[in-house]
Amino acid sequence: MGQKMFEKPIIDKKNFNIHNFKVFQELMQFKVREILLVSSLYDAYILEEDGSLATKITNEYIGLNLSQPPRFTCTSSAAEALNLINEKKFDIIITMPNLEDMDAFKLADEIKKAKPDIPVILLTHSVKRSIDIRENRFCPSIDKDFVWTGDSDLLLAIIKNIEDRINVYSDTEKAKVRVLLFIEDSPIYKSMILPILYKIIMKQTQRVLGGGINKEHRLLRMRARPKILIAENFEEAIAFYENFYPYILGVISDTRFPKFCMIDENAGLELCRTIKTKNPAIPILIMSSEPNNQKWAHEIPASFIDKNSENLISQIESFFLDNLGFGDFIFKSPEGKEIERASNLRTLEEKLKYISPELIIFHAERNHFSNWIMGRSEITLASMLRDLTVNDFENIEELRNFIIASIHSLRKWRQRGVIAQFSSENFDADIMNFVKIGESSLGGKARGIAFISSLLRENPEISEKYDNIEIRVPKTLVLCTDIFENFVISNNLKYIASEDIPDEEVALSFLKGKIPDSLKKDLEFFLLQVKYPLSVRSSSLLEDAQFHPYAGLYDTYMLPNNDTSIEIRLEHLINAVKLVFASTYFENPKSFAKSALHSTQEEAMAVIIQELVGDEHSNYFYPAISGSAQSYNFYPIPPIKSEDGVAKIALGFGKTVMDGEKALRFCPKHPQILIQFSSVDDTLKNSQKFFYALKIKNYDFNISLSSSNLEKREIDEANTELPIKILSSTYIHEEHRIRDTFYAKGPKILTFAGILKYNLFPLPEIISDFLELGQKSMGCPIEMEFAVNFSKNKSNRNSFYVLQIRPLGYYEDNFKISITPDDIQKALCYSSHALGNGLIQDIKDIIYVKLDSFSAEATRQITMEISHLNSLITSANLSYLLIGPGRWGTSDSWLGIPVKWKDIYGVKAIIELQNGMLKADASQGSHFFQNITSQGIPYITIVDGSDDFFKLTIIEKETIINETKFLRHVRFKNPLIIKSYGKKSECVIILN
C-alpha cells in the first residue's frame, strides 16, 4: 500500500460504510418478544417472591435504555404448555424441574419434537439441584441450564444470550459485529458471570457512545455491541473460534471443562494457548477458582481473575476497559508505562499527530487501534485497520497519516445527514454538519435542510456521479423553537403577537430582550471555532410548509464574522438572532397569516445559523452563482415541458433571484434555450447588471431592521474577479455581436455561457438530478435553492451547495375546470399563460393601474397607494382583482411594482400585463411567486403578441369607488367569473 492510495480520499465512499445507520437498523433482527415460563406454583412463587417477574425485566430494560421488553406467559402444567406452543409463537421456553404432570426433561423432548427451533432453558433454583440434575440426567433437548439466585439480571442475560446466538451469523456478516467468546460449563458460574458480562457490555457501550451524535444514533449503535457466545466444552469453543475468528473481540475462559466428553483440568489453558498461537494480539482472560492457575495464565500470556475474588465485578470491568477498547485509549510503552491517553476519536486523532513512531508501531501490531475503535461500534474503520499491517505502508509517517486521515474521514461521514445535539464537550466545527440547540421543532426551513442532508447521505450516487465536485449542505446550527418561546415568555413579549405595532418598535423590544447565559456561552463556544461568514436565517413552524410556505416573509442577516474581538462577533450574532425572532411579529408575515387563516400567536420561530457559501474577492465575499429551481414549470415554451422544470440563476447572493430582480431563467433539461437572450439586443437588455455581495473588509458594520447587510455592486466593477471571468462574455461593438469569452476586448456581459453552453460546470445536470430526487422523496413538485462556488486553487474541487428544499405550492383543486370557445368569445380577459386551478365567483372589486399616468419611476408610490386601497377594501371584508404592468412583487422597481404581502393581502387574483411599459419575464422562482401559488391565487399574465387579451375599456366604464394619482378602484354590479385551468395554463374572466 504505497503513495497511490493518497491520490483519492482516504476512505473511499463506495467501500467506507456511509450507510452506518442503515446497517445498524438491519442488526438484531431476531428479538425475544414472547417467553413461556413452565414451572410449579412453588417455583413460580420463588421467582416472583419479591415482585412481578415481568416488572423486574421491564425495569432492567428501562434502566439500560433497551428496546421493548418481552412478555411472559406462565403455566404450571406441561400439558398446557404443549397446547400453548401450538396456539401461539414463543421465542424462548424456560422450564423448571419440578412439574406435576411431566418431567422437565420429557417436556423438553416433546417441545423439540413439535418446535425444534425454540430454545429451551432449564432454570433450577438451587445449586444442589443443578448438580443432582447434571450427575443423573443428560438431555440434549435442553439448550442451556442456569441457577436462579433471585437476581433478575440473570433473566436479562439469558434473553440477550439467546438473541446473540441467533443473530450472530447475520450480524457478523452484515456489519462485522464483534464476538466475545465465553467458555464455562458450570451452571453456577455461568449464572453468576454471564449477567456481569452483559451488564458491563451494555453500560460501557452506552458510556462510550455517550458522546454520540444524538439519542437515535446512540440507540441504533447499541445494536452493534459485541455478541456473547457461550461454549461449554473444548470442541464447541474451537468451533466458535474458527467460525468467527475475524470477529473475535476477546476470550474469557475457565480452565476446567469437558474435552472429548471428559472433564479436563487444563482444557482452558490448552484452548487459550491454541488461540494465542493463531492470533497473538487477541485479549484473553482466564477465570479460575484455583489461584495456582495464575502463573500458567501469565505464560500464555493472558489476564487472570480468581472466580472467588471479592472484587470480581470491578476486575472484569478493568479487563474490558484495559483490553477490549471500552475505556480510554492508553498509549503504553512495551514495558507497560502509560505515556498518553485519549477518551474519544477526536482526542485520539489529535494525540496521534505527535505520539512517537515506536508507540504507533507497538499498538498497530497488536490491533489496539482496531479493538478500541470497534468498542465504539465504528465497525467499518475498525475492520479496515484490523486487515492492514505495518508492512502495507512505506514508512511509519505514512501509517500515522493514514490512521489520522481515516479517523477524520469517519468523524465527518458519521455526521453527514444527522442532526446532532450541540455540546461544548463534543462540538467540532470541522466535522459537524448539522447541530441544534434546544429540544423542540427545527422549523420548516431547517427541517428541509436536514431532509436534503439526509438524502445526500442515503443517495451517495449523486456525489459519485460528480466526483470532481463537492456536493453538500452548508454547515448549520439551529436554535429550536423552544429557544424562541422561552425568550418571548421570559422577556414578556407575547403580547406583540396580537397587537398592531410598527416593525421598528417590535425590533427594538426584541433587541432589548435578554438571552439565557447558557445560550450565550454555547454561541460563544460556537464562534470560537467558526471563523467563516455566517447567515442568520428564519425557520418558523409554518415556513416551507406545503401550500403555505411563508417564503421570504422573515428576515435574514449576513455577518462577516471576522472581527478580531470575540465579544463584537458574539454581539453581532445575538442581535441578528433577536431580529430574526422579532420578524415573526412583523407586519408582512402577520398579513400573510391572515390570508392563510393562521394565527400569529401560534407561530414559533427557529433560527438557522449557517455557513455562508462563497469566497473572498477583493473586499467582498459572495458565491459565483446563486439560484432557485422548480421541478414544475408553470410557463413552459415548446419544446420545453412543464415537467422539465425551470431554474433562475444570478451572480452573487440569491437576493437577486428571490426578490425578482434581473436573473437568467432556463430549463435544466434544455439549458441552451434562453428566451431572454434570443438576440444580441435582448442579451444586452436582459443580462444582469448588478449583484449582491457581503463586504468583509473596511466595513462599517451595523445590523439594522431593514438591511440584510449586503451591498449592491455593479458587474463592471468586479471584472478582475474570478466568477466574472468564468461567467462573462464580451460584446464586440463594431460587429454588434457577443463572443463567449471574457478575454476579448470590449464590455463584459454576464451570459453564463461557460456553464450553460460549454459545460465548464455541470450545473443543469446537477439541478435536474436534485429536482428528480427531491420530487421523488417529497412526493410532490419541489423548489430548491442552491449556490455554486469556483475554487481559486486548481487542486481543490468546485462546489455545489443545496441551501434549501421545500414542497412547491402547486395549487390544483380536485375538480376539472372547463374553458370553452364560447367562454373565450365573451370574456373580459383571456390568458394562455396563467397559473392556478379553480373557480372564483365572488369578486366585484378591481384595483388597476391607470396606464396613461403610469411611469416606472413611480412604482414605489404606486405600492403605497395599493396598500391604502387594500386596507379600505379588506376593512369591508371584501376581496379584489389587482391589475398592472410588469412583475408584481419584485424588489427592482424598474421591472414592476414592488408590493409586499402587507400591501395586498386582500387580493383574490392578479393580472400581470407584459407590454412595452415594463417587459419582464415571468416571476417564477421569487418568494412572492411561491406565496402566490401557495394561496391558490390565479396569477394571470397577458403577453403582447400572443392570443392573450384584456379589455381595459370595459373596466374603465364601471363605477369608480376610489381613485388616486396612479390607481383606480372600480366595482361591478355583479360578481366576475374567473375560471383558471392549471394544466393548460388557461384563464378567462367573464362578466356575469
Side-chain angles (χ1 to χ4, degrees), residues 819-826:
I819 296 177
T820 66
D822 185 56
D823 289 335
I824 299 173
Q825 183 69 32
K826 62 184 181 183

Side-chain angles (χ1 to χ4, degrees), residues 153-303:
D153 287 350
L154 175 60
L155 288 176
L156 176 66
I158 291 171
I159 292 167
K160 290 298 158 192
N161 191 247
I162 293 296
E163 291 176 346
D164 285 357
R165 188 75 174 254
I166 293 175
N167 289 315
V168 65
Y169 291 93
S170 173
D171 289 2
T172 52
E173 181 179 352
K174 287 178 180 177
K176 301 183 180 181
V177 168
R178 288 303 184 247
V179 174
L180 180 65
L181 187 54
F182 175 42
I183 304 99
E184 178 62 73
D185 71 318
S186 164
I188 304 164
Y189 284 113
K190 235 181 350 186
S191 305
M192 177 179 68
I193 296 172
L194 187 65
I196 295 173
L197 297 181
Y198 271 108
K199 204 140 197 177
I200 291 173
I201 283 179
M202 299 288 186
K203 288 192 172 181
Q204 294 205 25
T205 300
Q206 288 177 335
R207 186 182 66 82
V208 299
L209 296 180
I213 298 169
N214 55 31
K215 184 177 180 180
E216 178 192 15
H217 174 254
R218 293 191 291 270
L219 291 176
L220 282 175
R221 285 156 60 89
M222 274 294 293
R223 298 184 183 184
R225 63 160 178 79
K227 302 279 187 287
I228 299 178
L229 293 182
I230 304 175
E232 296 187 354
N233 56 61
F234 187 90
E235 295 76 31
E236 189 179 18
I238 286 292
F240 276 150
Y241 180 80
E242 290 178 348
N243 281 332
F244 300 105
Y245 77 89
Y247 317 113
I248 298 293
L249 175 67
V251 176
I252 299 177
S253 178
D254 188 14
T255 55
R256 179 182 182 274
F257 49 77
K259 179 183 178 185
F260 303 129
C261 300
M262 298 288 292
I263 295 294
D264 187 330
E265 296 290 337
N266 298 309
L269 298 175
E270 182 181 346
L271 172 71
C272 293
R273 289 190 190 101
T274 302
I275 291 174
K276 273 289 186 179
T277 301
K278 295 181 178 180
N279 185 357
I282 194 167
I284 293 179
L285 171 63
I286 290 177
M287 300 184 68
S288 173
S289 56
E290 300 176 12
N292 292 335
N293 283 320
Q294 182 171 2
K295 63 177 182 178
W296 303 113
H298 289 168
E299 287 182 4
I300 289 175
S303 302

Side-chain angles (χ1 to χ4, degrees), residues 7 12 83 115 123 127 275 350 419 447 468 494 508 551 561 571 585 590 611 665 690 713 759 808 812 831 935:
E7 294 175 2
D12 187 78
N83 289 331
K115 304 286 182 180
L123 193 63
V127 174
I275 291 174
E350 291 300 317
I419 302 171
R447 193 183 309 119
N468 63 330
K494 191 67 177 177
L508 185 60
N561 189 37
E571 180 186 0
Y585 298 147
K590 278 185 177 181
E611 170 192 9
R665 179 171 177 253
F690 301 91
R713 301 180 66 198
N759 206 33
L808 181 61
E812 183 175 1
S831 173
Q935 291 295 307

Side-chain angles (χ1 to χ4, degrees), residues 393 481 629 747 834 988:
F393 298 87
T481 54
V988 292

Side-chain angles (χ1 to χ4, degrees), residues 579-597:
L579 284 173
V580 173
F581 280 167
S583 68
T584 311
Y585 298 147
F586 284 175
E587 187 178 357
N588 210 30
K590 278 185 177 181
S591 300
F592 187 81
K594 291 178 183 178
S595 63
L597 302 180

Side-chain angles (χ1 to χ4, degrees), residues 39 48 53 106 156 174 246 271 337 406 462 464 498 508 588 655 716 753 772 820 891 925:
S39 69
E48 302 204 42
L53 193 64
K106 175 65 174 174
L156 176 66
K174 287 178 180 177
L271 172 71
K337 180 182 177 182
S406 297
I462 289 186
E464 292 164 7
S498 56
L508 185 60
N588 210 30
K655 181 177 173 63
D716 291 344
E772 182 179 343
T820 66
S891 65

Side-chain angles (χ1 to χ4, degrees), residues 416-419 433-435 442-457 472-478 535-539 543-544 607-611 770 778 783 785 801-807:
R416 191 169 185 178
V418 178
I419 302 171
N433 290 319
F434 198 111
V435 292
L442 298 172
K445 191 179 295 180
R447 193 183 309 119
I449 295 169
F451 178 69
I452 195 64
S453 183
S454 69
L455 285 183
L456 281 173
R457 182 188 181 100
R472 66 181 183 91
V473 173
K475 293 179 179 181
T476 302
L477 168 67
V478 178
S535 169
V536 184
R537 310 167 66 193
S538 63
S539 181
E543 202 163 7
D544 291 356
V607 176
I608 300 167
I609 302 169
Q610 193 171 55
E611 170 192 9
F770 269 100
M778 285 193 158
E783 180 174 40
E785 295 177 21
Y801 291 81
V802 187
L803 306 180
Q804 196 171 337
I805 186 171
R806 55 179 170 248

